[in-house]
Amino acid sequence: MKLVAAVLMLVTLSACTGPRGLNRQALQESFHDHPEMVTDRDVPSTMALAPTLTHPYRLALYFNHKDFPALPSLRRVDWRSADADRISTALVQLKEEGILQQVSVLANSSVQGTTFRDLRLAAARYNVDALLIIDGASTVERYNNGHAAWYATGLGAYLAHGTESHALFAMEGSLWDVRTGYLYGSQTAEGETTLVGPAPFVDDGEAVAQAKAAAMERFSKEIVAMLRLVREKTRATK
């Protein structure tokens, strides 16, 4: 009877610790959590900005690094050189199409400051025409499912697939004119995955890595499409 009671109690607990849903809104808002000071006088000057791109142009990629001290549920992105290589590889076809002349990566260490102006100045030092600022963040929800009741048997903790790790990785890329600060467009992409298994073997970090890989694949395709659209729009305005 005691074993039955323990199992029933664990079933109840596992139901209580079920999925509550990932906070997509907080994830998206994290990309714009420190806006620069804006006044009414900035609006006319912003509307007066004009594109200056001619094709092919020199593009720099900048991967934003930041923490989330007020939002412990969000995770900072661990950008790697492989991430830049993946996007650069996807953009090779745009060189062949005459859209891009070169693609480089703006190193975080080359930016002296944290504002958008600082980014443009660093890009100007590299003599590039456009800057693609890439933001990313992830969130994980870990919970037990009904199979977690088997954890009460001891051995079941290593055999029962009673734990799930649901990860969401979101990315945003914004294309800016280095000379004028004109915004050509922005694109977002998401990757999502769920790992299921015994609690000791379900790795939240692996879930994030798989979600990130899925987001990167979608993002690379969407950025290629956006840059093609930018070319068509700039042609139409000339």
Side-chain angles (χ1 to χ4, degrees), residues 104-169:
S104 58
V105 177
L106 186 63
N108 200 59
S109 58
S110 67
V111 182
Q112 301 175 357
T114 59
T115 68
F116 175 55
R117 179 178 179 274
D118 296 324
L119 290 177
R120 286 177 59 201
L121 285 174
R125 295 190 194 102
Y126 280 85
N127 195 31
V128 297
D129 306 302
L131 179 63
L132 180 63
I133 301 176
I134 301 171
D135 276 296
S138 63
T139 183
V140 179
E141 183 184 23
R142 188 183 180 96
Y143 52 87
N144 289 338
N145 57 36
H147 296 289
W150 291 101
Y151 290 169
T153 65
L155 184 61
Y158 298 92
L159 298 177
H161 288 220
T163 299
E164 302 187 21
S165 179
H166 184 191
L168 173 65
F169 190 96

